[in-house]
Amino acid sequence: QVQVVESGGGLVQAGGSLTLSCIFSGSFGLNFDDYAMGWFRQTPGKEREGVSCISWSGERTDYADSVKGRFTISRDNAKNTLDLQMNSLKSEDTATYYCAAAPSNGVGCSRIAGEYDYWGQGTQVTVSS
């Protein structure tokens, strides 16, 4: 069994920064570095959007066009943690943000929600304009 838990959400002014964190825990044999990881976000009435993802090794990343140049995803396989550094925040970044884990295909990562098996409960980010 795998669990992922997000933290770090909150209220921030437009132009500000926030870092989201996610900690991974797995039962015996389920290791963090066996999984690609992703950050997704969702607002009421809209589909879940893939914000960013990172391969198991951290060597490959991908970002939605809406956050490129502003958000940075990173992982620490020794600590089983995933981060999303968010800079230059805009009101349209307001959403519930989710951390998710997908079995690694050994190549890269995906921002398609259907490819992720494990999800956190979400953390709210609100950007005031």
Side-chain angles (χ1 to χ4, degrees), residues 87-129:
N87 297 326
S88 303
L89 283 161
K90 305 174 182 180
S91 57
E92 50 262 46
D93 295 318
T94 295
T96 301
Y97 282 72
Y98 298 90
C99 169
S104 174
N105 61 11
V107 177
C109 64
S110 169
R111 291 188 291 110
I112 300 173
E115 297 191 11
Y116 286 76
D117 292 345
Y118 303 101
W119 294 83
Q121 292 300 307
T123 185
Q124 178 66 35
V125 172
T126 303
V127 183
S128 63
S129 56

Side-chain angles (χ1 to χ4, degrees), residues 44-62:
K46 292 189 176 181
E47 290 189 2
R48 195 163 291 191
E49 175 190 16
V51 174
S52 181
C53 68
I54 188 167
S55 64
W56 72 269
S57 65
E59 290 183 357
R60 295 192 183 188
T61 59
D62 190 33

